[in-house]
Amino acid sequence: QVQLVESGGGLVQPGGSLRLSCAVSGFTSDYYGIGWFRQAPGKEREGVLCIGSRNGSTRYADSVRGRFTISRDNAKNMVYLQMNSLKPEDTAVYYCAGRYGTTWYCGIQRNEYDYWGQGTQVTVSS
């Protein structure tokens, strides 16, 4: 079965950086896409960014473009979210999500993904 485990969350000051990791297991090939989502208290879960199969194309929410970067190391079954220039409004629980697929492109809608991690808390505060 597919499993996703996030790690790397914590407390960081505004303007700081964090790197989140998603350990992926259970996919039978490299043909899967990964998305990062986040959910702040009292708000709906929203898509942040994604990467297509086989280190394919990426897509970013406007709110994080230029600050966040997604990458994947297929040999290590790891996906990373590098977050720079963090803002207080980035505070949320961040989730890694996965889906089977062979497409180079990806999307950041929740219903595109079938598998979810448990989330890791990111708090941006001075």
Side-chain angles (χ1 to χ4, degrees):
Q1 60 181 22
V2 174
Q3 291 186 333
L4 307 172
V5 181
E6 305 95 334
S7 62
L11 175 64
V12 64
Q13 293 183 325
S17 299
L18 280 176
R19 188 180 76 163
L20 306 183
S21 299
C22 176
V24 180
S25 64
F27 285 105
T28 57
S29 74
D30 291 334
Y31 291 105
Y32 62 88
I34 296 292
W36 284 95
F37 293 76
R38 66 186 182 185
Q39 187 167 20
K43 300 180 65 176
E44 295 184 350
R45 192 171 301 184
E46 63 176 350
V48 178
L49 75 180
C50 64
I51 187 167
S53 65
R54 290 195 168 188
N55 204 25
S57 182
T58 57
R59 187 181 300 274
Y60 298 82
D62 289 340
S63 60
V64 305
R65 188 180 301 276
R67 300 188 297 120
F68 290 11
T69 302
I70 189 171
S71 62
R72 64 192 296 172
D73 186 337
N74 292 321
K76 297 181 179 179
N77 295 320
M78 296 290 292
V79 181
Y80 305 101
L81 173 58
Q82 180 66 47
M83 304 185 294
N84 299 322
S85 302
L86 283 162
K87 305 175 181 179
E89 52 262 43
D90 295 318
T91 296
V93 177
Y94 283 72
Y95 298 88
C96 180
R99 60 163 292 172
Y100 279 108
T102 60
T103 58
W104 182 260
Y105 302 98
C106 66
I108 51 174
Q109 294 183 335
R110 289 185 295 170
N111 59 11
E112 298 180 59
Y113 295 89
D114 302 306
Y115 309 100
W116 296 84
Q118 295 300 306
T120 184
Q121 176 71 48
V122 173
T123 302
V124 184
S125 177
S126 60

